[in-house]
Amino acid sequence: RKEVEQDPGPFNVPEGATVAFNCTYSNSASQSFFWYRQDCRKEPKLLMSVYSSGNEDGRFTAQLNRASQYISLLIRDSKLSDSATYLCVVADSSYKLIFGSGTRLLVRP
Amino acid sequence: DVKVTQSSRYLVKRTGEKVFLECVQDMDHENMFWYRQDPGLGLRLIYFSYDVKMKEKGDIPEGYSVSREKKERFSLILESASTNQTSMYLCASKLEGAWGETQYFGPGTRLLVL
């Protein structure tokens, strides 16, 4: 079983749609959680950290459910520029990030 | 703005060649990392260094070695390249103690081993 699992997609949605991704992790002792975004042929970049209380950044909302060991990302009012691969990332220590293989999002006009 | 640079964007090598991938960061970060990224497998940690001359194996160190002689530079070495090392290689750096919210990646090197 992979340490961090994501649906690879692709999720193909029209502009303006709301889309949600989930991610599950296996290590109950994991400490920190993040969503990274990776554009085609580019490096991953931090999108947002994920907190137990849930957090929002504009159109993006991230939530963590420690009891069920899953993390979610909700994107409202999708834009064409949101098309990318979204990586779920779990930190077991300050030195080790475990990356999911990513969920691909395609936003169509 | 943090900048992490990698010596090459694309590299083609032959089986058995020795390959050097260089990474330089300009933010005085203590920690540096080398990952490889393959379709369906995500990013996997090869080696990391928490300080100059210090190195630790990641999840897939076999066939690789690293060197960190200066704080800003972290090199990945493929002693004898093999076709299964064809991949995208990503370098990253971060501050000591940060948990990932400040991990910055370089643009990546796409290595093809023939």
Side-chain angles (χ1 to χ4, degrees):
Chain A
R1 185 188 166 192
K2 287 183 181 176
E3 292 180 81
V4 178
E5 294 211 56
Q6 296 181 249
D7 181 342
F11 285 63
N12 192 325
V13 302
E15 267 188 293
T18 295
V19 62
F21 309 135
N22 289 329
C23 158
T24 58
Y25 62 95
S26 61
N27 184 358
S28 58
S30 295
Q31 299 288 323
S32 299
F33 309 88
F34 311 92
W35 283 101
Y36 274 65
R37 172 194 167 125
Q38 186 172 24
D39 293 302
C40 190
R41 298 186 175 275
K42 295 283 183 80
E43 71 273 23
K45 292 184 179 176
L46 179 69
L47 178 67
M48 57 198 302
S49 300
V50 187
Y51 304 119
S52 297
S53 53
N55 49 301
E56 193 173 304
D57 183 2
R59 298 180 294 107
F60 298 84
T61 300
Q63 295 213 302
L64 167 64
N65 184 320
R66 280 191 185 270
S68 302
Q69 293 179 214
Y70 86 76
I71 306 151
S72 64
L73 178 68
L74 182 79
I75 305 175
R76 289 182 299 279
D77 189 25
S78 299
K79 312 288 184 197
L80 295 177
S81 57
D82 294 335
S83 295
T85 297
Y86 291 83
L87 306 175
C88 176
V89 184
V90 172
D92 285 356
S93 74
S94 66
Y95 296 121
K96 191 159 184 199
L97 297 183
I98 313 293
F99 288 79
S101 52
T103 297
R104 195 163 164 227
L105 172 65
L106 299 171
V107 182
R108 63 181 188 271
Chain B
D1 240 11
V2 175
K3 198 160 183 190
V4 181
T5 56
Q6 295 183 226
S7 49
S8 306
R9 292 300 302 272
Y10 300 94
L11 213 49
V12 180
K13 295 291 180 181
R14 296 207 174 274
T15 302
E17 280 193 78
K18 191 168 185 175
V19 182
F20 292 87
L21 303 182
E22 302 246 300
C23 174
V24 178
Q25 50 94 4
D26 66 358
M27 281 302 290
D28 205 35
H29 285 170
E30 294 86 358
N31 303 161
M32 296 187 75
F33 304 82
W34 275 106
Y35 296 87
R36 62 179 281 177
Q37 185 175 28
D38 301 288
L41 295 177
L43 277 80
R44 293 178 292 165
L45 182 64
I46 304 171
Y47 266 97
F48 68 95
S49 167
Y50 49 90
D51 209 340
V52 178
K53 296 194 187 290
M54 310 301 274
K55 60 187 179 186
E56 291 284 340
K57 292 180 180 178
D59 297 318
I60 50 163
E62 297 79 18
Y64 303 94
S65 62
V66 290
S67 171
R68 185 128 181 245
E69 296 297 317
K70 292 186 177 181
K71 193 174 187 179
E72 67 271 18
R73 189 179 297 267
F74 191 32
S75 302
L76 180 69
I77 302 147
L78 287 66
E79 295 290 341
S80 177
S82 62
T83 53
N84 63 12
Q85 292 179 308
T86 290
S87 187
M88 166 76 128
Y89 289 88
L90 288 156
C91 173
S93 76
K94 72 169 186 66
L95 284 168
E96 172 67 28
W99 277 71
E101 64 276 19
T102 58
Q103 180 156 171
Y104 297 94
F105 284 87
T109 296
R110 287 191 176 274
L111 172 66
L112 173 62
V113 182
L114 298 173

